[in-house]
Amino acid sequence: MMDFVMALSPLVLILVGIVVLKKPAMKVAPVGLVYIIILAFTYFSPADAVFKDTVTMVDGLLWKGIKEGTKIVMLVFSSFLLLNLMQRSGAMKQVQNTLAGVTDDRRAQLIIVGLMVPIFLEGAAGAGSPAAIAAPFLVGLGFDPIVAIVVALLGDATPCSWGGAGLTTITGGSYLVEQGISTASLNSAMVGRIHMFGVFVIPFLIVMIAFGKKGFKGIIPYLLFAGISTGLIMFGLSNFIGPEITSLGTGLLSIVCSIIYLKLVKIKTPEEFRYKGENGFSGKENTELRRYSSFHALSPYLVLVVLLPVVRYTVPFSILTTFGYIVWVDVVVFLCACIGCVILGVSAEGFFDTMKQTIMRVVPVLVTMGSLLTVSYIMQNSQTGMIQLIASTIANTAGPLYPAAAVAIGSAGSFITGTGLGSNIMFAPMHLNAANMLGLNPITVFAGQNAGGSLGNLICPNNVVAACATVGVIGKEGEVLKRTMAAFAVILTIYMTLSMIYTHILFSGFGL
């Protein structure tokens, strides 16, 4: 038990510092890094470990953290740059008016942009792009930055189980496939049966987070439609088409269904939730003299929406991952920012001035990201064995509750690593062994892991810090985590319950 407590202690330290003490992640993360390095040299140093080997391990992971952190910061920079250019040019004002043409209900706008667009972006690219792009877009539409971050993260809580081109399920579940236990299609089908309930409740959680109980007035029929239609589409694609296009297709089709519904069915919108033409732009240039058509104003984001899936599905995967998966997303988003500058007629001086301001806002984030990533790498390292210790302790005490524990373990894995894929790869062998020992269906158990791995991204400090950086609210990570934790607890409870019911009752023989 003491080993388990000590393995958890770095995470507790970071969470207490950010959420309880309300300190900026930029100050807490380096402290957590120093603490875990001390643990690596003392408590979690194997008896036969050579001091030099530990130094080599920590040094290598520290540089890896800096390198990978830089890649994430580049995505933050590119997304923030695109938003700033949209605001500087005044195009964001027209985007607001265009969205109001679909519906003037701010709550419905939030569901479309905060839930359905992130699902599409996860399928198109993944790699943190949904929150990095959707959060600043929501801010540009006039939503509170904290609300924008929480909603964007919540919108990305389900599609991560498939990710770009189904990578998370296909690669993350490959161990079960190699052992002849399952197939990618079966893995996709079962996790889809869990997430369909997640996307049903998320619209209600979004409204509650953004507007409180009063926000439900007059919009419950639309929320039911959005939740049911998105859930059914996700179920259909994941069960009958395959993992490759589940996220992308769900996002795109759900947007289309919502637009049709909102055009045919009039929402009785209270005045306080009605779009009133907020002034959503800033900058030095005289935006009042600029006039854009809806297509012209939206074109930078339309280019992005087209270019991400085109690159992902046409360029060989081996090339995309040459410098790390996220790098190609960085390049595409930055390229779209440059194209957007030309399309919107922003001057060269305006572009470089905006880029300079953006760089100054995001560079300090590298300290936080590098520290947090290094903490996660040290916890994952076989020499310390911290993450395996946490997972195995939970597994050994679970017994017949193991299907529910698998969801929690999956969430813990992505909470630490920042990726559902990493969580799946790390724990799939353990879940298969546990399922065999307990006489449980390994396919449904892994589905719980896969769903939990996707959900864990909602509360991962790495993701929260990156999202805060994209909208310029660095230091507010604690406030964001408080709100995401509440939503996380609700969905986690649903997923743990479903995993138990599916494994022990409904689908005990699924795929066997």
Side-chain angles (χ1 to χ4, degrees):
M1 181 56 65
M2 180 56 67
D3 291 346
F4 177 72
V5 171
M6 292 301 292
L8 275 178
S9 61
L11 303 180
V12 174
L13 173 65
I14 291 171
L15 285 178
V16 169
I18 295 176
V19 178
V20 180
L21 301 180
K22 299 180 180 179
K23 299 295 183 182
M26 194 173 297
K27 294 183 178 180
V28 176
V31 174
L33 175 59
V34 172
Y35 175 66
I36 200 169
I37 289 176
I38 294 173
L39 288 181
F41 278 99
T42 55
Y43 195 91
F44 288 100
S45 178
D48 58 347
V50 179
F51 181 80
K52 181 180 178 181
D53 292 340
T54 304
V55 171
T56 301
M57 180 267 289
V58 170
D59 180 64
L61 295 180
L62 181 61
W63 284 109
K64 181 181 179 182
I66 295 173
K67 182 180 69 174
E68 297 303 317
T70 301
K71 295 176 183 178
I72 295 175
V73 170
M74 279 301 301
L75 176 58
V76 171
F77 163 74
S78 300
S79 302
F80 202 13
L81 175 62
L82 179 56
L83 169 66
N84 288 342
L85 289 170
M86 293 284 290
Q87 291 179 321
R88 186 185 191 101
S89 66
M92 188 57 75
K93 175 65 175 178
Q94 182 57 43
V95 171
Q96 289 177 315
N97 294 333
T98 300
L99 193 57
V102 176
T103 175
D104 63 354
D105 192 299
R106 299 289 280 161
R107 300 164 297 176
Q109 293 176 354
L110 194 60
I111 299 300
I112 294 173
V113 180
L115 170 62
M116 299 169 185
V117 170
I119 293 176
F120 171 84
L121 289 172
E122 182 63 38
S129 60
I133 294 171
F137 191 83
L138 287 170
V139 171
L141 293 174
F143 289 99
D144 176 78
I146 301 300
V147 170
I149 294 167
V150 175
V151 169
L153 289 171
L154 190 53
D156 197 32
T158 59
C160 292
S161 281
W162 295 279
L167 181 68
T168 306
T169 288
I170 295 171
T171 303
S174 61
Y175 183 80
L176 275 72
V177 177
E178 292 168 359
Q179 298 301 311
I181 301 297
S182 184
T183 66
S185 296
L186 290 175
N187 289 337
S188 173
M190 187 50 63
V191 77
R193 300 181 191 195
I194 296 177
H195 279 315
M196 64 183 288
F197 290 96
V199 294
F200 172 75
V201 302
I202 285 176
F204 294 89
L205 292 175
I206 287 176
V207 171
M208 186 66 186
I209 289 169
F211 304 104
K213 293 181 181 179
K214 63 181 181 179
F216 292 110
K217 186 176 181 181
I219 201 172
I220 289 180
Y222 169 68
L223 297 181
L224 288 170
F225 174 82
I228 292 173
S229 60
T230 306
L232 288 177
I233 292 169
M234 182 173 283
F235 168 79
L237 292 177
S238 62
N239 278 258
F240 302 110
I241 303 300
E244 291 84 359
I245 65 166
T246 294
S247 294
L248 187 146
T250 299
L252 184 60
L253 292 176
S254 61
I255 291 171
V256 172
C257 288
S258 272
I259 291 175
I260 294 173
Y261 177 93
L262 292 168
K263 287 293 186 180
L264 297 178
V265 181
K266 182 67 176 178
I267 297 177
K268 296 180 180 179
T269 306
E271 200 60 29
E272 62 182 310
F273 303 127
R274 193 179 300 279
Y275 171 75
K276 299 181 179 65
E278 292 94 340
N279 194 3
F281 55 83
S282 60
K284 296 180 181 179
E285 297 186 3
N286 189 349
T287 54
E288 293 299 328
L289 297 179
R290 292 185 180 275
R291 294 292 183 270
Y292 298 102
S293 67
S294 297
F295 180 80
H296 193 179
L298 277 168
S299 54
Y301 279 105
L302 293 176
V303 171
L304 180 64
V305 165
V306 171
L307 204 55
L308 280 173
V310 166
V311 173
R312 175 63 186 87
Y313 287 93
T314 59
V315 178
F317 190 70
S318 59
I319 295 177
L320 291 179
T321 56
T322 300
F323 301 103
Y325 185 84
I326 194 174
V327 173
W328 79 267
V329 183
D330 297 344
V331 173
V332 170
V333 179
F334 179 73
L335 179 61
C336 288
C338 295
I339 294 172
C341 177
V342 175
I343 292 174
L344 299 175
V346 177
S347 65
E349 179 184 358
F351 175 78
F352 287 111
D353 180 60
T354 304
M355 189 160 65
K356 178 181 177 181
Q357 294 178 20
T358 305
I359 290 173
M360 292 175 64
R361 297 285 291 273
V362 302
V363 164
V365 184
L366 182 58
V367 175
T368 308
M369 295 305 304
S371 298
L372 290 175
L373 286 171
T374 305
V375 169
S376 73
Y377 294 148
I378 292 175
M379 292 189 72
Q380 297 173 58
N381 188 267
S382 58
Q383 183 169 319
T384 65
M386 297 170 72
I387 184 61
Q388 285 289 350
L389 174 61
I390 293 171
S392 60
T393 302
I394 296 174
N396 291 334
T397 58
L401 297 177
Y402 190 84
V407 180
I409 291 170
S411 295
S414 57
F415 171 82
I416 295 169
T417 66
T419 164
L421 175 59
S423 181
N424 285 351
I425 292 174
M426 187 182 304
F427 296 127
M430 182 183 74
H431 291 314
L432 178 57
N433 292 335
N436 289 335
M437 290 174 57
L438 296 169
L440 302 175
N441 188 334
I443 299 175
T444 58
V445 170
F446 176 73
Q449 150 70 40
N450 196 1
S454 180
L455 183 59
N457 286 278
L458 176 59
I459 58 171
C460 174
N462 297 350
N463 298 340
V464 171
V465 170
C468 285
T470 61
V471 299
V473 289
I474 300 170
K476 299 290 186 179
E477 296 87 0
E479 188 175 345
V480 172
L481 272 171
K482 280 186 178 180
R483 298 200 188 190
T484 57
M485 282 288 186
F488 170 80
V490 171
I491 305 175
L492 180 69
T493 301
I494 294 172
Y495 283 10
M496 293 174 77
T497 303
L498 287 172
S499 186
M500 290 289 292
I501 294 173
Y502 285 2
T503 301
H504 289 293
I505 302 174
L506 293 182
F507 303 114
S508 59
F510 180 82
L512 300 180

